[in-house]
Structures are given as C-alpha cells and as structure tokens.
Amino acid sequence: MRRISDRHWRPGDLIPGEVELAEEFGCARATVNRALRELADIGLLDRKRKAGTRVALNPVRKATVEIPVIRQDVEARGKDYSFDVLDRKDLAPSAILQQHYGLAASTPLLGLWTLHRADTYPFAYEERWINLAVVPEILDADLELLSANEWLVRNMPLSRGEFTFSAGNATAAESELLNCPEDAALFIVNRSTWMVDDAITAVRLVYAPGFSMKTVV
Amino acid sequence: MRRISDRHWRPGDLIPGEVELAEEFGCARATVNRALRELADIGLLDRKRKAGTRVALNPVRKATVEIPVIRQDVEARGKDYSFDVLDRKDLAPSAILQQHYGLAASTPLLGLWTLHRADTYPFAYEERWINLAVVPEILDADLELLSANEWLVRNMPLSRGEFTFSAGNATAAESELLNCPEDAALFIVNRSTWMVDDAITAVRLVYAPGFSMKTVV
DNA sequence: AAGTGGTCTAGACCACACC
DNA sequence: GTGTGGTCTAGACCACTTC
C-alpha cells in the first residue's frame, strides 16, 4: 500500500510475484497472499493467474453503503421512530412485475403502503410488495407492531439485492404524505431482494426533503 | 451461510467455535476461519474474541457502491464523454471550509467548475476545490484534456473519502447548465477526500434529471 | 508447457475479552 | 486465568491463462 501511494509502483505496473515478495519481507507466502488479496478487494490491485498482479489502472472507489433498517436510521438521528400502515391488500403481479422479477401470474403478493415517522414528522413513504409464495409466514406477523421492513430483515436472509438511488419531484400524493411542497426534490431508493432465484420483496422508499445518505471509504 | 438462511442458526445465536466446525466439516481451522471471516465481512456474523461468533442480530447489509470516474460512468451508458471547464480560479478557503476541513487560512486552493456531457447533453455539473498545498503537481497538468476528477484518481490513489448522497431542486443556474426545468429534482453527491490528515479535494456533483445510481449486493 | 495466483493443511503462538 | 478468534508459517496441490 505504501509503495502504491508512493508511486513507487505506478498504476498499471506489474508488481513482483507472491514468492518474491515473501522472500523480500521475510514472511510466508500465505501472508503475502492475504495482503495482496485484501488490497485487490478494495480495488487497489488487479490480479490474474499467470499474468501476475498489477496496480489497478482505474482505482474504482468502492464505498460500502450500509443499508439500515429505517427504525435504526431514524434512531441514529436521535429521533423517535414510529410508523403507520396506510394500506394493505393482496395483489396479483402486474405484467411488468411478472417480467422483471420472473413471477408467475398466479403468485400471491402482499402489498403494503407505509409511512415512517421521526418524532411525528414524516420521514419516508414506503410502497412494497412481498412474495407470499416465498414468505407465507409473514401473514402470521403483526405488521402494525414490527414493520415489514424489520420483519423481513430479521426473518428472511437474502442472497442477492439490487439497489437504485435516484431523485424525483414530489407528486401531489407524496407532497401531502410527506408534508412538503409539491415538486420538492425527494431522495428515492428502489430496492429488490432475492433468495437464490425467487424474488422476495421489492420496495420503493421516498424520503422526506432534507434526507441524505452518508458513507465513508 | 446455508444454516443462516435455513434459520437453523437464528439471528443472535452463538454458533460453534472454529475448532469444532473444522472437525465437523473435516477441514483445517484456517479454512473455517477464512469462511467465517468472509461472512463477518459481509455483515452476516458478529465475531468477538473469547465471546465467540454469533449470527448478526441486525444483518445490516453492506452494499458496495462503485464510484467510477465520470467518464467511465458515461461510457458505460454507451454515450460519448466530453467536458468543459467553465471556470477556474485560485481561492482562499472560506471560514466554513477552514473549519470543516481543517484548512489554514493561507492554504492555496484551486477552484474548478466543470460541465460533464454525454453525447453533447449535459450529464453532471461539478464544483470542486483542490488543496494545492498537498497536490501542487496538478498545476502542471492540462486539466482541459484530462479532467481533474480523473487526474486525481490516477495520481492520488490512496485516500480516505466521505460521500453524501442527497436530492435537491435545480437552482436557476443549474437548470440552465443542465438544460432542465427550474426546480427539477436532481441527484447530488458531495464527496471529500483526505490523505492522512490533509484534505485533498472536495467536490459537489449535480447530475442531470433521470440519473440513477445502481448497486448490487 | 509453464508460471502465476487460489486454496488448503497442520501446527503454532498471540491478543483480547470475559471470567 | 482461560477460551476465543486473529494471525502467521511451511509446505503442498490445484486451476487458470498465457505462452
């Protein structure tokens, strides 16, 4: 790492092999391997068998964003968390959902519309559907007590998730729910999660104005 | 991982120690150690010396967001990248910058205002300052040819960074630059990077409407 | 074919956190 | 004190990729 920041080894350079480095540093090859592997994990090195290890040409910064449960997010801001389930109904997947998530037309879905609050102020508005074919147990849960968000995190480990972050202007309905002017700029997260090949849930979260998501590298 | 998703080991459960698992799976302890370490890295396990390994109670998913150079971001969308440096001048840090980034009042800064384009359409507007006390060499670079963004990534590979993602309404100036209606919702990234204790650069990126940032777990 | 990284083993000692 | 994970060693074999 020092040799990279020194520019002693420059982007694109081929660095010595593991055996050679182990000799130089007087340690075992496994130790060198772990060090180089960790540097490759954070994007500083590119490694290929036979071709060797090079200093990454495009040190793509990999920021790890923590996706907290909304309750924790609110509480971390020093506010009291509460939420209301505004609506709840059984659904059949629309053609778009069927295609995008590979759902059969007959898949039973649970739709939930929830408003999350911080100290009684609207914090985020959530639209969600849940695949009941995969998590039928959620029907036994009291979702007025523990939010679906939290229930799923606690009970349904996911193997794969997709997140999309964007910005959008508040619609009339959103402005009323989030108590903000129409057309206010809102931070939006779309998230869908899978367990192996089965879509578990997809959710659209619209945060009240002023929300920001922080992360550190 | 299977035992966690099975709920065979439930959130909060203490799982067997490394030695025991190694015996059960008929492998070396180092192999178990690496497996458990990797599961802890992605947030599925909590490990403590003496206390043992537990299934994470709050499986905070850690999504790694790749922060590409803007040129790569544009090119990945199948567009041609170009940019214009709209303005450039030497600055002294404002009181706010001095405080927030620990800069001396005498620190020389370079200010840059850049418009990034995709196929001649505005893609993002960038406001940036660079700490010349740390990277004086950047004055020798032709920043009309290689963007400051890219020059810094290539030449200052190691640093600590802070990212903030938010949404904001387009100001009059931004609406003109990005060719969008005033008050359009824009995706905004604030990023600052340090080299040890020295602030290197801070940048505010305002993306044109329709931009979204995707990531996968 | 050959050289590189990828992974594993068996054993050892250490450091921390809890008792 | 004591048990846990954290790290290292020396050696081995494997798999991929380039030659």
Side-chain angles (χ1 to χ4, degrees):
Chain A
M1 192 178 244
R2 186 174 47 72
R3 288 188 184 171
I4 294 171
S5 60
D6 273 341
R7 297 180 59 60
H8 177 197
W9 291 335
R10 299 175 174 242
D13 282 2
L14 187 66
I15 74 170
E18 296 190 348
V19 179
E20 193 176 331
L21 288 172
E23 279 166 17
E24 181 192 341
F25 287 99
C27 67
R29 195 192 135 214
T31 308
V32 172
N33 178 276
R34 175 157 177 201
L36 297 188
R37 181 159 35 82
E38 291 192 358
L39 291 180
D41 282 346
I42 61 173
L44 248 41
L45 296 176
D46 285 329
R47 319 195 72 195
K48 265 191 224 163
R49 280 169 159 146
K50 171 70 180 175
T53 299
R54 290 177 182 278
V55 179
L57 258 177
N58 300 305
V60 176
R61 290 239 148 54
K62 289 179 185 167
T64 66
V65 178
E66 298 197 350
I67 314 288
V69 171
I70 296 179
R71 178 179 58 75
Q72 294 177 313
D73 200 351
V74 169
E75 287 171 357
R77 289 160 206 259
K79 314 272 185 188
D80 282 325
Y81 173 68
S82 62
F83 71 96
D84 278 319
V85 177
L86 304 179
D87 197 5
R88 164 183 183 146
K89 55 185 156 202
D90 294 316
L91 301 172
S94 66
I96 293 176
L97 286 184
Q98 288 177 41
Q99 193 187 343
H100 192 267
Y101 296 100
L103 298 170
S106 60
T107 311
L109 299 182
L110 174 62
L112 283 169
W113 289 262
T114 308
L115 184 65
H116 300 269
R117 294 196 170 84
D119 279 352
T120 75
Y121 294 102
F123 182 77
Y125 171 60
E126 172 187 320
E127 300 174 339
R128 177 192 293 272
W129 60 256
I130 300 167
N131 184 346
L132 291 176
V134 179
V135 265
E137 314 93 302
I138 200 169
L139 290 175
D140 301 329
D142 182 354
L143 295 179
E144 309 273 336
L145 219 89
L146 186 71
S147 75
N149 179 347
E150 211 154 337
W151 190 94
L152 285 164
V153 162
R154 293 235 186 120
N155 293 278
M156 199 61 216
L158 53 97
S159 63
R160 196 155 55 84
E162 241 186 61
F163 302 79
T164 309
F165 305 94
S166 58
N169 290 103
T171 63
E174 287 164 350
S175 72
E176 193 155 331
L177 283 164
L178 295 174
N179 192 26
C180 67
E182 215 171 315
D183 287 331
L186 304 177
F187 191 82
I188 300 171
V189 180
N190 277 281
R191 169 162 92 208
S192 47
T193 58
W194 280 266
M195 187 62 183
V196 195
D197 287 327
D198 299 318
I200 303 172
T201 184
V203 56
R204 178 172 185 267
L205 274 166
V206 184
Y207 288 89
F211 174 84
S212 70
M213 186 176 78
K214 245 190 202 162
T215 185
V216 183
V217 178
Chain B
M1 190 179 245
R2 187 177 46 74
R3 288 190 184 170
I4 293 171
S5 59
D6 273 341
R7 298 182 55 64
H8 177 195
W9 290 336
R10 299 178 175 238
D13 282 2
L14 188 65
I15 74 170
E18 296 189 350
V19 179
E20 193 175 330
L21 289 174
E23 280 166 18
E24 180 191 342
F25 287 97
C27 68
R29 194 190 136 215
T31 307
V32 172
N33 178 276
R34 177 159 175 199
L36 297 188
R37 181 157 36 83
E38 291 192 358
L39 290 179
D41 282 346
I42 62 172
L44 247 42
L45 294 177
D46 285 329
R47 318 196 73 197
K48 266 193 222 162
R49 280 171 158 142
K50 172 70 180 173
T53 300
R54 290 176 182 279
V55 179
L57 257 178
N58 302 304
V60 176
R61 296 303 300 216
K62 290 174 186 169
T64 67
V65 179
E66 298 199 349
I67 315 286
V69 170
I70 296 178
R71 177 179 58 74
Q72 293 177 312
D73 200 350
V74 169
E75 288 171 357
R77 289 160 206 260
K79 314 272 185 188
D80 281 325
Y81 173 68
S82 63
F83 71 97
D84 279 319
V85 177
L86 304 179
D87 197 5
R88 166 184 180 144
K89 55 186 158 204
D90 295 315
L91 301 172
S94 66
I96 293 175
L97 287 185
Q98 288 177 40
Q99 193 188 342
H100 194 266
Y101 296 101
L103 298 171
S106 60
T107 310
L109 299 182
L110 174 63
L112 282 170
W113 289 261
T114 308
L115 184 65
H116 300 268
R117 294 179 214 277
D119 280 352
T120 76
Y121 294 101
F123 182 76
Y125 171 60
E126 171 186 320
E127 300 174 339
R128 178 192 291 272
W129 61 256
I130 299 167
N131 184 345
L132 292 175
V134 179
V135 266
E137 314 93 302
I138 200 170
L139 290 175
D140 301 328
D142 182 355
L143 296 180
E144 309 274 336
L145 219 88
L146 186 72
S147 76
N149 181 347
E150 212 154 337
W151 189 94
L152 285 165
V153 162
R154 294 236 186 121
N155 291 277
M156 303 280 323
L158 280 182
S159 44
R160 194 159 52 80
E162 241 186 60
F163 299 79
T164 308
F165 305 93
S166 57
N169 289 103
T171 63
E174 286 164 350
S175 72
E176 192 156 331
L177 283 163
L178 295 173
N179 192 24
C180 67
E182 215 171 314
D183 287 332
L186 304 177
F187 191 81
I188 300 171
V189 180
N190 277 282
R191 168 162 94 207
S192 45
T193 61
W194 279 265
M195 185 66 152
V196 194
D197 287 326
D198 299 317
I200 300 173
T201 185
V203 57
R204 177 170 185 269
L205 273 167
V206 184
Y207 288 89
F211 174 84
S212 70
M213 187 176 79
K214 239 188 201 167
T215 186
V216 183
V217 178

